[in-house]
Amino acid sequence: MNTGFLPVSRQDMNERGWEQCDFVYVCGDAYVDHSSFGSAIISRILEAHGYKVGMICQPDWQDPESINVLGEPRLAFLVSSGNMDSMVNHYTVAKKRRKTDAYTPGGVMGKRPDRAVTVYCNLIRRTYKETPIIIGGLEASLRRLAHYDYWSDHVRRSILLESGADLISYGMGEHSIVDIADALNSGIAVRDVTWIPGTVYKTRYEDEIYDAVRLPDFEAVRDDKRKYAESFALQYRNTDPISAKRIYECYDGAMFVVQNPPAMPLTEQEMDDVYSLPYMRAWHPMYDAIGGIPALGEIKLSLTQARGCFGECNFCALTMHEGRIVQCRSHESILEEAKEITRDKDFKGYIFDVGGPTAEFRGPACDKQLKFGACVNKKCLWPKPCSNLKVDHSDYVKLLREVRTLPGVKKVFVRSGFRFDYLMADPNKEFLTEICKYHVGGQMRVAPEHVSDNVLKEMGKPGVEVYNAFIREFKKINKELGLRQYIVPYLMSSHPGSRLKDAIKLAEYIRDMGYIPEQVQDFYPTPGTVSTTMYYTGINPLTMEDVYVPRNPHEKAMQRALIQYRKPENYDLVEEALLREHREDLIGYGPECLIRPRRASDHKATGSKRHKH
């Protein structure tokens, strides 16, 4: 039966009168036709341009027949691991296997392989030797050139070579995928599709690569960490669609992987068009009996108002994937989707988010960005807000007011992260007042990440004095409103730059805050970030200065324990850290102490255990 979803079987194709798909999309996620899923956006955009797209979601990678269910596509296979990198999806930062997968029916783990893009491409190649393969999504995008891989602790080749694919569509992909489709449809061989912005291709002919910057060769970045840092810095400085150069790297002296400049950001009209496509806003009904897709959950009752981020935290991959130029939807587009949400059978009066990578960003950081691109050697918010930065929350305030006054809407939450430094740079505190009054459900989540300047500098985050000023303003406004609401800070342990003394400083701050975080995130070295380059090389690639990196698992455990120093199970680690740093002053009975001394009986009972380290 034609359900409105794209075909997932031959029967679906027959009901549409299709003999062959133009594209077959192989995806590591279950099939969810909603604009928060990249596979849905790309497939619907192709459909809107007249192409026939079929979906093979979570195929059995051990069975070659699982890739044949829709037959050979006329133009190409499209391959993505899904909304997440498959390795992050599968493993914690401690490299332990996760127990659930929110993008799989019923949350079951194990329905996609590790390194899903490469495995799926190899599976396709076993049957279809010549059919073009285009890879995209987060996993392919952030591994498009040589990269450090935390899980194997090695520098790996471009995923274009590892997978055997023909092209990468990197970044968000709406522009490049249509250009690729039109090129292939016109009869151009995939090996000759070399000019499209937002793509990566491979060639054996260096003399055909024009107007480009050659990166250090793969063998150099594999064997020399300083070369690796230099290469990443060049890549990072060529992420802007307006100012970026074509860049390329050589493998084995014979193969060249070439990254074209990023695709241009979408206009407001193009953003509106993307979000007005005929999504079913649901998982495919074939999953109903097995529990549905947990990841859809609150997402289908949330609104994406923007993409891109000029916050540029060093541990975040947004610069390499979405870029620094913020692109927004119109109010009309967002309100139309909000009305659609109110008609959803699961809607109970609550819209759970109106946001994006950063909730309140509603346009480019400054007027210069759309003409000259984002600055290559300067950040918009760090170490202090740029003098050219447009700090204005009025449009976002207006948008929130419009959404919360729609018929049937009881409350609109904002659960995307705020940039408190951007907020504090605005002399008009109307926005914070509105957020506290209407859009916080008792707790407001913000991400100072740390309080030590040594660490914040390497994170690209503002100094703790900005966070403290925000806390004071938040408390002042809530007092005026007669509300009891609280800040819940996101904190990160073991980021490059963090020594034990910095972790102790954070613990002291938490002590004075009077709140022990329930959740702590250890720094996770994922592909495509400045911080991951620091972790691997011990060098900040943006300054080429040496950086201390906590890599020893026991030291990392101590840093993590210090953030949750009140937990009894963390006592030994906290005590060891304090003694190692000669901070005995924090062991005692005073209000400034983190832990109390052990009683003699405690020493006798646990002494042998504590001295094993």
Side-chain angles (χ1 to χ4, degrees):
M1 172 174 83
N2 186 347
T3 60
F5 289 85
L6 297 175
V8 297
S9 67
R10 282 284 192 177
Q11 180 180 345
D12 291 345
M13 291 172 60
N14 291 338
E15 289 179 359
R16 287 177 174 242
W18 295 5
E19 293 185 5
Q20 186 180 29
C21 293
D22 295 323
F23 294 95
V24 171
Y25 197 130
V26 180
C27 186
D29 288 342
Y31 184 19
V32 179
D33 192 27
H34 187 277
S35 58
S36 61
F37 286 70
S39 56
I41 287 179
I42 296 302
S43 58
R44 288 297 187 183
I45 280 179
L46 287 170
E47 179 190 45
H49 282 79
Y51 294 103
K52 301 173 182 177
V53 185
M55 306 295 291
I56 301 178
C57 294
Q58 297 190 321
D60 181 351
W61 68 92
Q62 297 175 328
D63 178 11
E65 285 303 310
S66 68
I67 218 73
N68 298 330
V69 294
L70 300 178
E72 182 179 17
R74 182 175 68 90
L75 296 176
F77 281 98
L78 309 176
V79 177
S80 165
S81 68
N83 271 13
M84 291 180 67
D85 183 293
S86 59
M87 300 302 286
V88 177
N89 179 277
H90 286 171
Y91 298 99
T92 69
V93 65
K95 301 182 182 180
K96 294 181 180 178
R97 188 82 170 179
R98 299 189 196 272
K99 296 180 181 178
T100 60
D101 181 348
Y103 294 91
T104 293
V108 174
M109 177 55 76
K111 295 298 184 180
R112 82 183 83 207
D114 288 355
R115 310 189 190 285
V117 169
T118 297
V119 173
Y120 290 152
C121 288
N122 290 339
L123 187 66
I124 292 168
R125 280 286 176 251
R126 290 173 65 178
T127 302
Y128 302 103
K129 307 297 184 185
E130 303 297 331
T131 309
I133 300 176
I134 317 301
I135 58 177
L138 198 67
E139 183 167 307
S141 184
L142 298 181
R143 297 166 182 268
R144 56 190 183 260
L145 296 170
H147 57 278
Y148 171 70
D149 182 81
Y150 171 68
W151 302 273
S152 62
D153 194 28
H154 286 95
V155 175
R156 299 180 75 103
R157 301 185 303 159
S158 164
I159 196 170
L160 189 63
L161 301 182
E162 286 200 341
S163 67
D166 296 287
L167 281 175
I168 300 175
S169 169
Y170 74 87
M172 299 305 286
E174 291 96 343
H175 282 156
S176 59
I177 198 63
V178 173
D179 289 343
I180 292 167
D182 290 346
L184 295 177
N185 191 49
S186 70
I188 297 173
V190 69
R191 65 178 176 275
D192 295 324
V193 181
T194 61
W195 71 91
I196 296 174
T199 63
V200 179
Y201 69 94
K202 56 191 175 185
T203 179
R204 293 191 178 276
Y205 306 105
E206 186 177 14
D207 58 350
E208 295 181 358
I209 306 169
Y210 60 95
D211 192 22
V213 175
R214 180 165 174 165
L215 303 174
D217 293 353
F218 170 73
E219 292 75 19
V221 300
R222 180 193 62 196
D223 300 337
D224 184 332
K225 291 184 177 181
R226 194 163 192 85
K227 287 290 185 185
Y228 183 98
E230 291 171 357
S231 179
F232 182 86
L234 283 169
Q235 295 172 43
Y236 194 80
R237 290 172 179 136
N238 284 280
T239 55
D240 184 86
I242 297 170
S243 64
K245 294 284 189 181
R246 186 172 291 102
I247 56 178
Y248 68 103
E249 59 189 8
C250 181
Y251 291 77
D252 303 319
M255 178 64 76
F256 301 92
V257 173
V258 186
Q259 174 184 302
N260 286 314
M264 291 297 291
L266 300 185
T267 64
E268 182 182 87
Q269 183 61 58
E270 287 172 330
M271 282 279 284
D272 289 354
D273 291 344
V274 166
Y275 285 88
S276 67
L277 292 169
Y279 306 105
M280 298 301 294
R281 301 183 60 82
W283 59 68
H284 195 283
M286 63 183 168
Y287 306 128
D288 287 346
I290 48 179
I293 313 303
L296 186 58
E298 293 184 357
I299 290 177
K300 73 171 183 173
L301 304 178
S302 300
L303 294 160
T304 298
Q305 63 92 3
R307 65 170 58 159
C309 181
F310 53 78
E312 212 174 348
C313 299
N314 285 342
F315 49 80
C316 179
L318 276 167
T319 295
M320 297 289 279
H321 186 62
E322 292 190 15
R324 290 169 59 190
I325 298 178
V326 174
Q327 306 139 69
C328 299
R329 298 167 63 186
S330 70
H331 288 224
E332 292 76 16
S333 170
I334 296 165
L335 290 170
E336 190 59 41
E337 186 179 359
K339 292 173 186 175
E340 197 166 354
I341 287 175
T342 64
R343 295 190 289 268
D344 190 283
K345 63 181 177 59
D346 295 323
F347 179 69
K348 305 293 189 234
Y350 301 98
I351 291 177
F352 292 106
D353 196 15
V354 182
T358 297
E360 75 264 44
F361 289 176
R362 280 290 294 166
C366 68
D367 294 331
K368 295 180 179 180
Q369 279 194 349
L370 291 180
K371 184 175 181 180
F372 302 105
C375 296
V376 174
N377 293 306
K378 186 178 181 182
K379 295 191 175 188
C380 301
L381 281 165
W382 187 86
K384 293 183 178 180
C386 175
S387 59
N388 291 318
L389 181 66
K390 293 193 297 184
V391 182
D392 183 1
H393 290 88
S394 60
D395 187 60
Y396 188 53
V397 169
K398 182 175 184 287
L399 175 63
L400 291 175
R401 288 173 178 169
E402 291 170 342
V403 175
R404 71 173 182 255
T405 55
L406 288 174
V409 174
K410 297 176 183 177
K411 191 174 183 69
V412 176
F413 295 96
V414 178
R415 293 183 174 171
S416 295
F418 294 101
R419 282 296 298 230
F420 57 84
D421 50 348
Y422 183 77
L423 193 153
M424 292 306 294
D426 190 346
N428 184 351
K429 295 301 184 283
E430 178 188 37
F431 171 65
L432 185 55
T433 301
E434 290 260 332
I435 288 294
C436 291
K437 189 174 182 179
Y438 297 108
H439 304 289
V440 175
Q443 296 181 338
M444 184 176 185
R445 300 179 185 274
V446 294
E449 306 294 356
H450 217 282
V451 299
S452 169
D453 288 339
N454 296 327
V455 185
L456 293 170
K457 179 182 72 170
E458 305 302 349
M459 289 180 164
K461 298 285 284 187
V464 69
E465 70 279 358
V466 182
Y467 179 63
N468 289 337
F470 168 73
I471 293 291
R472 290 192 295 270
E473 190 69 29
F474 178 83
K475 289 180 177 179
K476 173 177 170 285
I477 288 173
N478 277 283
K479 185 177 180 179
E480 292 171 352
L481 294 172
L483 298 172
R484 295 184 63 185
Q485 301 192 115
Y486 306 93
I487 293 289
V488 179
Y490 287 118
L491 300 171
M492 185 183 295
S493 65
S494 304
H495 186 277
S498 179
R499 299 178 184 269
L500 273 180
K501 65 179 182 180
D502 300 299
I504 292 171
K505 184 174 183 178
L506 178 56
E508 292 182 277
Y509 187 91
I510 292 168
R511 173 202 64 201
D512 298 339
M513 186 174 65
Y515 169 83
I516 297 296
E518 293 183 7
Q519 293 183 328
V520 179
Q521 174 63 56
D522 285 345
F523 168 64
Y524 201 154
T526 55
T529 75
V530 174
S531 298
T532 295
T533 299
M534 292 187 213
Y535 175 87
Y536 171 60
T537 65
I539 299 169
N540 183 326
L542 304 184
T543 64
M544 296 307 293
E545 295 174 351
D546 291 344
V547 179
Y548 175 77
V549 179
R551 291 193 186 89
N552 181 281
H554 187 62
E555 182 189 349
K556 292 172 72 173
M558 285 191 286
Q559 292 205 23
R560 182 185 179 92
L562 280 160
I563 297 179
Q564 297 175 312
Y565 66 87
R566 289 184 187 172
K567 288 192 171 184
E569 61 267 30
N570 288 340
Y571 185 98
D572 290 342
L573 288 167
V574 172
E575 183 188 44
E576 181 183 353
L578 295 177
L579 292 175
R580 184 180 292 190
E581 290 298 308
H582 307 292
R583 293 301 306 272
E584 291 85 351
D585 60 302
L586 296 176
I587 303 174
Y589 296 96
E592 77 284 357
C593 295
L594 300 181
I595 57 174
R596 294 185 173 188
R598 284 191 185 274
R599 295 170 298 182
S601 57
D602 294 333
H603 277 286
K604 188 172 181 180
T606 64
S608 59
K609 173 185 173 183
R610 289 165 53 223
H611 291 293
K612 283 183 179 180
H613 301 306

